[in-house]
Structure formats: C-alpha cells, structure tokens
Amino acid sequence: MSNTKNITICNTLCNTEILAIFNDHDPALLEQLAQEAQKITRRYFGRTISLYAPLYLSNHCANQCVYCGFHASLKIPRRKLNEQEIEAEYQALAHAGIQSILLLTGESRQHTPPEYLEAALKAAKKYFANIALEVYPLETEEYARLNAAGCDGVTIFQETYDQARYKILHPAGKKSNYAYRYDAPRRIALGGLRQITLGVLLGLADWRQDILALHAQLRSLEKEFPGVDYAISFPRLRGTYDYKEKNYLVSDAELVKIICVTRILFPRIGINLSTRESASFRDRAVHFGVTKISAGSSTAVGGYAGLGASPACPPDRAVLENAPQFAVNDERSVAAVKAMLEKQGFDPVFTDWRCLAA
Ligand code: SF4
C-alpha cells in the first residue's frame, strides 16, 4: 500500500520522504513524478537535449575495480592512442557531427600522465566546442593545468557511497582510497573547471542510500562552489567479465524514479544518460528530466576511426573488439539519435555555447 499519499512532490523533500517514494511501487506515483519532472525540465531546458560522445584514449589501468572490463588483473590487450591515432579519432567523431566530447582513460597515471592529457586536450580544441575528461583523480594544480589546456569539465564517479561495499569493490590501487576520490570534485572546482559531473554506478550497492548520498554531496558542492555547472550521470552496471553480483541491480522503473526525483530536487542540473541504456529506454527517458545523451558511442580504445585508419594506426582487432570497458546497449548512430529526438519534438543541440573570439 502506498505510504506517500500525504507527501507533496516538491524540491524540499526530506530524506525520509524520498525513501518513502523510492520504496513505493505504486505506478500512479511514478506517473505523478514523471509529470512533475517533465514540467520542471521544460521550464528550465525547454525541449533541448545535448548530444555528446565518449572517446577512450587508453585502457591501461592500475586499479582493480571488480566490476570493470579494464581492471588491472585482466589479461586483455592494453593500448593507449598516440598523437596520430588521437587525431584520427577526433576527425572521425567531428565528421559524424559531434562537437561535445568526453575523453576517457583507464586510471593509470603512469601510462596517461597529465602531460598526455594536456596534449590530447590541446589537439581536441581544433575539433570540438566542449571537451570534458573522465580520468583518474588529480591534484588541484593539475586540474588548473588541464583547465588552461582547454578542458571545460570533469566527470568523476564515486561509484558507491557505501564505504563497506566500496572497500570490497576496490581492493587495490589508488582508487581504494575512498576519501581521496570523494574530495576530487572540490579539487576540480578549486582548479577552476566550470563543469563537474558526479555519479554513482547503479548496481554496486543499495541504490536508495547511494542516491541520497550523491544528492548530499551535490548540495554541499553547490553551496561551496555556486558558480559551477553540475550534472549527474546514473549509469547502470552492464555485463562485464567476471562480475556476477546481482543483488543490487536497478530496474527500469527504479531508474526512471531516480531521474525524476533528482530532477525535482535539482531543477537546474544536467542529467546525462549514456548508451549503456537501451534505445527504447532512452527514447522514453528523454521526456522525464534527461538533458544530455551520448550517441554513436564506442567504448573501445580507437573505436571511431576504425581499423588501420592510417599507417600510423595499425589494425588491432583484439583491442577494438574484445576489450570495451562496458557493452554499448544503444548502438544507433549520431544521425539516428538526432532523428529520434526530432521525431519526438526535441531540439538536438550539439553545442550549448561557442567562443567567438579567435
Ligand atoms: S572502473 Fe576505472 S579505475 Fe576501475 S578498473 Fe575500470 S577503468 Fe580502472
């Protein structure tokens, strides 16, 4: 039976009320949340949805996250893109119409030091209007350097806020230091970055508690750094290698609820949805609060320029086909995602700003 009938759906919900909503399976409540979230999203974002693409620069990683296809103990072909290969990837993505990219690496400072990231950022500026990074956590001065090299934003996921689960899931490597990772968004803001994306990997722990903790971290950052643009991603765990834990999986209805409640509590933040989700789920979710979706994604290193794009970029089928970080679920091209949005009455946006100065 619903225990939420006396709760007003608004942005001042307390944690007890949010948990009551999360634990209430009444479809009528979900519908009410969806309508409210849609209303708020239209008010602040109109009918625009931004498009971006992830680009994996490297799959070297020093950590051992037990749920990830890149983790250090797995015997997979490792590779990082060289200068020419990076250029080829940028050209392929820009050709597809992408103007906003997220550059990713596994977490290996040794293989992809800040200098490597800096060079990749500088090269990206020729092709893209908005460039974000998702890499290992850095120091404040390093974030400032990357900012100066053209980085607009950084994505950093805490993965889970359940510290006991965190310890089990991250048994070795620098990532096992929960506090250092938790403090990264502050260092990013202090480094001068104007966009910060936070997130949890849904499926690692009790999602209800993780979402409350994520909201709490966001509230505290908003208070300390009000000038930053914040966004949240809610990737769900997808089948990877040897991680078989099923206890914490999140259903479609639960993910919709998470998106709607987050939108209601945080009317102005960006909400991203990746191609980990199916095409049919994404087609529906864009109505409830999502503001940015990836399109035409490859999660393999060198996945856009294809095989042997140039003599300097030799074919490496093993890397391209066998070792993505996670499986892409929505495999549609950028053009197909754009067409889907237009068909549903949205305005696909490839860049939300452009520097007019030379
Ligand atoms: S989640 Fe990131 S840090 Fe962890 S193993 Fe995968 S690539 Fe490395």
Side-chain angles (χ1 to χ4, degrees):
M1 193 178 98
S2 167
N3 59 354
T4 57
K5 55 184 179 302
N6 296 322
I7 296 175
T8 307
I9 306 294
C10 65
N11 68 357
T12 55
L13 290 167
C14 68
N15 282 357
T16 311
E17 291 169 325
I18 295 168
L19 282 178
I21 289 171
F22 283 165
N23 288 321
D24 188 330
H25 302 294
D26 183 351
L29 173 65
L30 189 56
E31 180 59 30
Q32 194 191 345
L33 290 168
Q35 284 183 15
E36 186 61 20
Q38 186 180 62
K39 205 166 72 190
I40 294 168
T41 309
R42 294 270 160 82
R43 187 182 310 146
Y44 289 98
F45 296 90
R47 298 194 67 99
T48 60
I49 302 273
S50 300
L51 295 173
Y52 76 101
L55 193 163
Y56 282 78
L57 295 170
S58 162
N59 64 355
H60 290 278
C61 188
N63 291 315
Q64 300 200 2
C65 314
V66 301
Y67 48 84
C68 176
F70 282 180
H71 85 64
S73 308
L74 288 173
K75 299 278 175 262
I76 58 166
R78 302 281 172 178
R79 178 169 183 184
K80 75 170 178 182
L81 299 179
N82 64 30
E83 219 176 290
Q84 291 90 339
E85 290 166 341
I86 291 175
E87 199 80 21
E89 289 286 276
Y90 288 169
Q91 283 170 3
L93 264 183
H95 184 70
I98 288 294
Q99 294 186 46
S100 178
I101 51 163
L102 175 63
L103 300 176
L104 299 100
T105 64
E107 296 196 11
S108 171
R109 178 179 276 271
Q110 186 201 342
H111 290 93
T112 52
E115 300 72 39
Y116 175 85
L117 303 174
E118 245 180 323
L121 287 164
K122 284 180 181 160
K125 281 173 81 175
K126 281 187 279 170
Y127 297 96
F128 305 104
N130 188 277
I131 311 157
L133 279 180
E134 185 174 345
V135 298
Y136 50 89
L138 294 128
E139 297 298 326
T140 302
E141 324 66 77
E142 292 171 329
Y143 283 124
R145 267 178 62 186
L146 297 177
N147 185 20
C151 184
D152 298 296
V154 175
T155 294
I156 183 100
F157 291 173
Q158 191 62 31
E159 315 291 18
T160 175
Y161 292 84
D162 177 334
Q163 294 199 45
R165 289 284 301 151
Y166 189 94
K167 216 170 166 184
I168 295 167
L169 297 163
H170 307 99
K174 193 151 185 180
K175 195 164 172 180
S176 57
N177 186 340
Y178 178 95
Y180 184 73
R181 193 170 189 88
Y182 185 87
D183 200 41
R186 287 193 74 254
R187 299 195 299 274
I188 296 166
L190 290 168
L193 274 303
R194 65 181 189 91
Q195 298 165 346
I196 299 177
T197 301
L198 307 174
V200 284
L201 181 49
L202 296 169
L204 297 180
D206 179 352
W207 62 269
R208 297 160 189 82
Q209 295 301 331
D210 266 346
I211 295 298
L212 291 183
L214 173 65
H215 289 168
Q217 187 179 22
L218 179 58
R219 285 240 185 271
S220 123
L221 287 164
E222 280 185 332
K223 209 165 159 196
E224 192 175 357
F225 304 102
V228 171
D229 276 347
Y230 295 98
I232 291 189
S233 290
F234 303 111
R236 280 191 287 186
L237 198 59
R238 295 264 298 140
T240 50
Y241 299 89
D242 49 358
Y243 185 70
K244 299 279 187 288
E245 173 109 56
K246 295 269 192 314
N247 292 344
Y248 302 99
L249 294 184
V250 172
S251 70
D252 283 3
E254 287 167 340
L255 181 52
V256 169
K257 198 178 268 187
I258 290 167
I259 292 170
C260 292
V261 167
T262 301
R263 168 57 65 226
I264 291 162
L265 293 172
F266 299 92
R268 292 168 188 274
I269 62 156
I271 297 182
N272 304 343
L273 200 62
S274 81
T275 51
R276 283 175 191 248
E277 299 302 335
S278 68
S280 61
F281 183 85
R282 283 170 21 116
D283 291 3
R284 282 179 284 130
V286 289
H287 291 278
F288 308 130
V290 169
T291 55
K292 196 168 182 177
I293 59 176
S294 48
S297 300
S298 166
T299 60
V301 178
Y304 293 109
L307 306 168
S310 75
C313 180
D316 194 344
R317 281 192 181 275
V319 171
L320 287 168
E321 293 176 358
N322 297 330
Q325 188 186 27
F326 62 86
V328 167
N329 205 343
D330 180 354
E331 294 184 330
R332 289 175 296 182
S333 67
V334 176
V337 172
K338 180 172 177 279
M340 173 278 287
L341 290 172
E342 285 167 346
K343 195 170 167 202
Q344 298 210 59
F346 289 99
D347 185 12
V349 172
F350 284 85
T351 173
D352 60 353
W353 67 281
R354 180 180 288 281
C355 180
L356 295 175

